[in-house]
Amino acid sequence: MRKMSWIAAIVLVSLSTVLVAQKPDPDAQKIIDQYIAAFNKGDAKGVAALYTTDATRLGPDGQLLTGRAAIEKSYTDGFAGPLKGSALTIQQGRNQVVTPDVKIMEGRFATSGAAGVKGRYVNTSVRQGGAWLLASVVTIPDQPAAK
């Protein structure tokens, strides 16, 4: 009987650890909310302000950008062209604290409009000057269903 109690206790502790790990991260949600707001307004400068000065971004089109200025220019061009009038949604997924000032955040994203795409993201965020900024963003578009 005691063995069953120990097994039940271990299962309970393991389950509670998993549930705690799945709690939404308020720091990640703040970045998500700010990103969505800037994107949906077509505000390239606002989106770029969420990145570190030397950030990297791998877009769903496979284009690798380095630096906040390049990211801002890409969004400026996108909002004037294929992203014009698009809307972004982001769903927070799992987050991992690497150090007190570094987090890895993953989840799902979707854009509407002519350049609509859905997929996953994996971001590395860093705390600089008390604010969380994106140091690396990798977006992976969903693959079309096999025919």
Side-chain angles (χ1 to χ4, degrees), residues 7-27:
I7 292 171
I10 290 169
V11 168
L12 184 60
V13 168
S14 297
L15 182 59
S16 66
T17 301
V18 169
L19 292 175
V20 168
Q22 293 177 354
K23 259 177 71 174
D25 180 319
D27 297 322

Side-chain angles (χ1 to χ4, degrees), residues 52-107:
T52 62
T53 56
D54 60 348
T56 58
R57 179 178 186 278
L58 180 63
D61 60 357
Q63 183 181 21
L64 179 64
L65 302 169
T66 302
R68 183 185 288 156
I71 294 166
E72 181 177 342
K73 180 177 180 344
S74 175
Y75 274 108
T76 298
D77 294 346
F79 291 143
L83 295 176
K84 188 173 188 164
S86 292
L88 173 69
T89 58
I90 300 175
Q91 180 182 9
Q92 184 178 166
R94 187 173 144 310
N95 298 295
Q96 176 185 352
V97 176
V98 178
T99 72
D101 293 324
V102 178
K103 292 182 183 188
I104 298 173
M105 307 179 305
E106 63 87 15

Side-chain angles (χ1 to χ4, degrees), residues 3 5-6 12-13 25 30 40 43 68 73 84 87-88 99 101-102 117 120-121 123-124 128 132 143:
K3 188 174 181 179
S5 297
W6 278 106
L12 184 60
V13 168
D25 180 319
K30 183 175 179 182
N40 290 348
D43 179 5
R68 183 185 288 156
K73 180 177 180 344
K84 188 173 188 164
L88 173 69
T99 72
D101 293 324
V102 178
V117 65
R120 301 194 66 72
Y121 67 85
N123 299 342
T124 302
Q128 291 184 349
W132 286 96
Q143 297 299 313

